[in-house]
């Protein structure tokens, strides 16, 4: 038996209450985004990306709109180093983009990192050392003071090498494993680093607070961030950055509450790739802002293309339910959802297309490059009449009468249930046509003539059981006259209770579709459709199918 009590190790709350973030309702502005896909994301892959793959990824990040990109850990491997040199030497870094490189606070690694970024138009050099209790005791076996000295020596060396190089460098420091560090101590270390760097409005520094491992509920992280943000030296010249991981599955919440608590910048990855359970998912975060009416300043309008690139280069898989980008995240299979979405879409067009309030869809799928046709209303045995009608209207322009929808809905869902499979739009159309169009197992109407005497008089030629019979009848319209002829001939009621007709296509070759429902002698409703260039023929075909159905069920 495992013992859950071994995990009761707690976390560190700030020494004073820091809960102002609770009073904020919104994130009203995009943070500075920094993609760490090519570093933290890459270092967690089974097979790290090659140089060419990284270049493709880098270019895509630029296209999405990232202005800060951590391109790697140049001292780690030749590929990481080469990426850095290639971007610089081939002038591949746009003027408004800053590359970032990561280094441990160890002199030879810092020196190698500066060699890698030589000649960069602008670069952030990011130095880290772990400050957590666990790492102090177990990994470094050093006192708080000694660990602080690692940070101080690292910060000094960055400053010295940057000055010697004369290049355009910005500095970033991370107290790695911040969430396992006493906040007062993390503050002391960060302030020591800030005091060395002496940031100014023109040369701010970045203090990055990583949830290297998520260790608490997100509100605890927010209080830790607020404490740091309120107490860092020279705060106006310090960019407070967050680097949440996702061990508890709440990396997005950490980032969001952390922003409410004062953070200015977020480091994360596309689709949450990264160590273990991943870094915070920037797509999710940015789209959450978008879905609240805030410009995220990143462009995810072609999500399928981005997802394809991500999966190909990282060999990771995006889950079907991954927010905003999974294959199924806009799909509604269940009847009541489909009905509400379908009505919501009509309401929006009628009332106010400028506002998005469609039930069950947090955003318009088209905003991220998805389509209604294949992504939203999907048909299986959970579906209802509203969804089936939506598919036929959306794909084929068929506006199914309200009275007919239930009969059609059950017919379609039964097929899906029996076959245990989803039905594509063309399969729904096939079921619809097979059930209602030219359904003539009992009789056929081969000819119809009308005369306008005392209302409408008709002669209907009926073929049944190998016999041809001409039946005469009258009515107050053509459809009425034909239904009276059928009723007379078969000795059964053929009362038209539903009749609707509309054109299917625009232009001279447009055909009409007629929908007819009749009440049979058992009191039930039976339906048929007719499609023809001639609207009268379409309605006669429809009543013919409906009557046949009433005589076969
Ligand atoms: C949370 C994060 O994601 S942090 C980033 C992690 N990413 C990576 O580590 C990927 C790239 N890293 C590497 O390729 C290698 O670790 C290198 C090239 C940087 C260094 O390689 P090596 O020196 O061979 O190994 P390693 O990283 O294990 O070094 C461990 C030593 O560095 C020390 N150390 C580790 N991190 C730091 C740090 N941030 N600052 C100062 N010292 C550090 C350890 O205490 C240990 O010291 P010891 O030799 O006295 O025991
Ligand atoms: C180096 C730091 C920022 C890091 O990657 C982490 O703590 O996860």
């Amino acid at each position: 038996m495992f013992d859950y009590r071994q995990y009761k190790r707690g976390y560190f709350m700030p020494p004073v209450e820091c809960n102002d973030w609770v009073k904020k309702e919104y994130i009203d502005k995009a943070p500075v985004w920094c993609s760490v896909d090519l570093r933290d994301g890459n270092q967690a892959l089974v097979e790290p990306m090659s140089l060419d793959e990284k270049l493709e990824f880098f270019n895509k990040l630029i296209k999405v709109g990232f202005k800060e990109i951590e391109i790697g850990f140049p001292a780690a491997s030749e590929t990481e180093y080469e990426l850095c040199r290639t971007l610089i030497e081939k002038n591949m870094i746009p003027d408004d983009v800053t590359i970032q490189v990561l280094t441990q606070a160890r002199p030879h690694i810092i020196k190698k990192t500066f060699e890698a970024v030589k000649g960069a138009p602008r670069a952030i050099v990011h130095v880290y050392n772990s400050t957590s209790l666990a790492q102090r005791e177990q990994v470094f076996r050093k006192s708080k003071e000694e660990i602080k000295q690692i940070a101080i020596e690292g910060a000094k060396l960055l400053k010295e090498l940057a000055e010697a190089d004369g290049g355009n460098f910005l500095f970033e420091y991370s107290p790695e494993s911040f969430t396992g560090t006493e906040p007062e101590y993390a503050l002391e270390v960060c302030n020591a680093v800030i005091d060395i760097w002496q940031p100014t409005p023109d040369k701010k520094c970045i203090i990055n607070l990583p949830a290297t491992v998520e260790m608490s509920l997100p509100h605890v992280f927010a209080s830790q961030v607020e404490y740091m943000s309120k107490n860092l030296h020279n705060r106006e010249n310090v960019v407070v950055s967050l680097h949440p991981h996702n061990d508890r599955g709440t990396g997005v919440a950490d980032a969001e509450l952390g922003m409410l608590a004062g953070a200015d910048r977020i480091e994360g990855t596309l689709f949450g790739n990264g160590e273990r359970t991943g870094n915070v998912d920037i797509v999710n975060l940015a789209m959450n802002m978008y879905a609240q009416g805030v410009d995220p300043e990143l462009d995810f309008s072609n999500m399928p293309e981005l997802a394809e690139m991500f999966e190909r280069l990282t060999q990771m898989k995006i889950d079907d339910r991954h927010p905003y980008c999974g294959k199924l995240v806009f799909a509604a299979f269940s009847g009541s959802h489909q009905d509400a979405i379908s009505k919501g879409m009509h309401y929006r067009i009628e009332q106010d297309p400028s506002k998005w309030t469609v039930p069950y869809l947090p955003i318009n799928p088209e905003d991220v490059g998805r389509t209604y046709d294949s992504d939203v209303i999907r048909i299986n045995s959970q579906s209802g009449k509203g969804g089936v009608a939506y598919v036929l209207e959306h794909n084929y322009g068929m506006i199914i009468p309200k009275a007919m929808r239930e009969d059609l809905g059950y017919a379609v869902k039964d097929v899906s249930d029996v076959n245990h499979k989803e039905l594509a739009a063309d399969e729904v159309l096939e079921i619809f046509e097979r059930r209602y169009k030219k359904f003539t197992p009992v009789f056929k109407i081969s000819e119809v003539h009308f005369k306008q005497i005392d209302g409408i008089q008709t002669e209907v030629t009926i073929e049944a059981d190998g016999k041809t019979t001409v039946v005469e009848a009258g009515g107050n319209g053509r459809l009425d006259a034909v239904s009276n002829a059928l009723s007379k001939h078969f000795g059964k009621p053929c009362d038209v209770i539903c009749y609707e007709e509309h054109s299917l296509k625009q232009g001279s070759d447009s055909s009409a579709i007629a929908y007819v429902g009749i009440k049979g002698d058992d009191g039930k409703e039976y339906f048929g459709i007719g499609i023809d260039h001639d609207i009268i023929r379409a309605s006669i075909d429809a009543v013919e199918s409906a009557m046949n159905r009433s005589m076969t069920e």
Side-chain angles (χ1 to χ4, degrees):
M1 181 70 181
F2 295 113
D3 185 357
Y4 57 84
R5 284 168 299 196
Q6 67 187 304
Y7 298 112
K8 203 160 177 66
R9 60 196 161 191
Y11 41 80
F12 300 105
M13 284 301 279
V16 289
E17 213 173 82
C18 286
N19 291 332
D20 287 351
W21 60 269
V22 173
K23 296 169 206 144
K24 296 194 190 140
E25 228 179 300
Y26 295 106
I27 295 162
D28 50 13
K29 180 170 163 297
V32 175
W33 299 109
C34 175
S35 153
V36 295
D37 288 88
L38 298 171
R39 198 278 297 171
D40 214 333
N42 185 60
Q43 84 187 27
L45 295 177
V46 178
E47 278 179 39
M49 287 180 267
S50 68
L51 179 61
D52 284 346
E53 288 171 334
K54 283 185 174 180
L55 289 171
E56 182 181 345
F57 209 123
F58 178 81
N59 286 329
K60 184 62 99 185
L61 291 170
I62 289 171
K63 229 172 143 202
V64 165
F66 284 97
K67 302 297 175 206
E68 296 185 1
I69 302 174
E70 190 165 85
I71 57 166
F73 196 133
S77 72
E78 201 45 36
T79 311
E80 306 260 311
Y81 190 88
E82 269 313 302
L83 173 68
C84 199
R85 294 313 310 154
T86 305
L87 292 174
I88 295 167
E89 285 164 19
K90 295 199 170 160
N91 285 325
M92 292 176 73
I93 309 163
D95 290 345
D96 60 349
V97 172
T98 305
I99 57 165
Q100 175 170 314
V101 284
L102 182 67
T103 172
Q104 293 175 343
R106 295 165 80 192
H108 69 289
I109 297 199
I110 294 175
K111 283 180 190 147
K112 177 93 179 166
T113 307
F114 269 91
E115 279 169 32
V117 286
K118 195 159 184 56
R122 193 172 132 100
I124 299 167
V125 181
H126 177 187
V127 63
Y128 76 95
N129 69 313
S130 182
T131 52
S132 70
L133 174 63
Q135 294 227 29
R136 290 194 319 257
E137 284 179 352
Q138 300 166 37
V139 182
F140 292 86
R141 293 178 184 252
K142 287 191 192 306
S143 68
K144 280 183 171 175
E145 193 50 40
E146 287 170 314
I147 293 287
K148 184 168 80 177
Q149 277 311 314
I150 295 176
I152 288 174
E153 292 310 319
K156 281 184 182 161
L157 188 55
L158 252 62
K159 194 170 178 190
E160 200 184 299
L161 293 177
E163 278 169 7
D165 182 284
N168 190 1
F169 297 113
L170 298 170
F171 303 139
E172 171 170 341
Y173 172 69
S174 292
E176 198 227 316
S177 303
F178 166 72
T179 42
T181 308
E182 307 85 330
E184 313 86 299
Y185 176 60
L187 182 69
E188 183 186 326
V189 176
C190 290
N191 277 337
V193 169
I194 293 169
D195 292 347
I196 291 160
W197 286 341
Q198 298 282 328
T200 62
D202 295 338
K203 257 210 166 37
K204 294 189 176 186
C205 76
I206 301 166
I207 293 294
N208 184 47
L209 305 175
T212 304
V213 176
E214 272 196 308
M215 296 177 78
S216 66
L217 287 161
H219 74 285
V220 172
F221 183 63
S223 297
Q224 292 164 341
V225 170
E226 185 171 308
Y227 172 72
M228 296 294 285
S229 177
K230 282 178 170 168
N231 292 290
L232 285 171
H233 290 174
N234 205 347
R235 174 67 179 91
E236 64 282 11
N237 296 322
V238 174
V239 176
V240 174
S241 176
L242 304 181
H243 180 108
H245 278 269
N246 195 39
D247 300 83
R248 293 169 49 93
T250 51
V252 168
D254 286 341
E256 290 183 330
L257 300 192
M259 280 190 266
L260 295 180
D264 312 299
R265 181 179 187 267
I266 296 290
E267 292 189 353
T269 56
L270 298 182
F271 310 113
N273 182 35
E275 289 284 3
R276 304 179 306 281
T277 49
N279 286 76
V280 69
D281 176 4
I282 286 188
V283 176
N284 195 160
L285 263 181
M287 289 309 300
N288 280 357
M289 277 177 211
Y290 183 84
Q292 300 274 306
V294 176
D295 180 1
E297 297 173 18
L298 292 176
D299 179 358
F300 292 115
S301 57
N302 197 342
M303 199 76 87
E305 189 182 283
L306 192 67
E308 182 282 321
M309 178 221 66
F310 172 82
E311 291 192 333
R312 178 167 45 82
L313 298 184
T314 62
Q315 299 180 39
M316 301 294 294
K317 287 274 158 285
I318 297 171
D319 191 84
D320 283 352
R321 305 232 177 260
H322 198 110
Y324 302 106
C325 59
K327 288 197 178 64
L328 293 179
V329 297
F330 299 110
F333 289 102
S334 63
S336 57
H337 291 213
Q338 295 179 334
D339 180 55
I341 290 172
S342 169
K343 287 173 180 159
M345 303 281 261
H346 276 117
Y347 178 87
R348 176 171 176 260
I349 292 159
E350 288 155 21
Q351 302 291 322
D352 184 1
S354 73
K355 289 274 176 254
W356 184 264
T357 55
V358 177
Y360 296 111
L361 290 179
I363 61 163
N364 185 341
E366 288 182 337
D367 292 358
V368 285
R370 304 288 287 271
T371 61
Y372 296 116
D373 294 356
S374 54
D375 285 318
V376 180
I377 307 271
R378 294 176 55 171
I379 304 299
N380 66 13
S381 61
Q382 302 297 308
S383 305
K385 57 187 172 140
V388 172
Y390 178 91
V391 165
L392 289 176
E393 179 173 352
H394 208 79
N395 291 279
Y396 305 107
M398 294 169 168
I399 303 163
I400 311 299
K402 226 171 166 15
M404 188 177 179
R405 290 184 181 192
E406 189 162 316
D407 187 71
L408 168 64
Y410 278 103
V412 170
K413 97 196 253 131
D414 282 352
V415 173
S416 171
D417 199 20
V418 168
N419 297 328
H420 290 293
K421 80 185 251 303
E422 183 189 357
L423 299 172
D426 58 345
E427 292 171 295
V428 173
L429 179 67
E430 197 194 317
I431 295 165
F432 174 66
E433 292 193 341
R434 201 178 337 116
R435 183 170 176 84
Y436 302 114
K437 188 178 156 192
K438 296 237 179 266
F439 181 74
T440 55
V442 181
F443 72 90
K444 276 196 178 99
I445 296 176
S446 52
E447 245 179 88
V448 184
H449 299 283
F450 296 107
K451 280 189 202 142
Q452 200 150 6
I453 309 165
D454 246 359
I456 297 289
Q457 299 301 316
T458 188
E459 278 180 13
V460 181
T461 307
I462 298 171
E463 295 184 22
D465 289 334
K467 283 191 269 167
T468 301
T469 316
V470 176
V471 184
E472 292 184 6
N476 52 21
R478 287 174 169 78
L479 184 60
D480 188 43
V482 173
S483 81
N484 288 340
L486 294 178
S487 178
K488 182 173 160 190
H489 179 69
F490 292 109
K492 288 173 177 294
C494 182
D495 302 334
V496 175
I497 45 135
C498 153
Y499 164 63
E500 290 184 24
E501 188 148 3
H502 63 82
S503 66
L504 272 180
K505 282 182 250 140
Q506 306 289 332
S508 56
D509 69 338
S510 68
S511 43
I513 178 165
Y515 313 83
V516 167
I518 62 165
K519 198 164 231 159
D521 52 3
D522 53 3
K524 286 203 216 149
E525 292 167 3
Y526 297 92
F527 297 90
I529 64 161
I531 298 176
D532 202 280
H533 290 295
D534 173 24
I535 56 169
I536 303 299
R537 183 72 231 183
S539 63
I540 292 168
D541 285 354
V543 77
E544 174 193 58
S545 289
M547 187 65 174
N548 266 284
R549 183 155 286 288
S550 80
M551 295 164 77
T552 46
E553 277 189 6

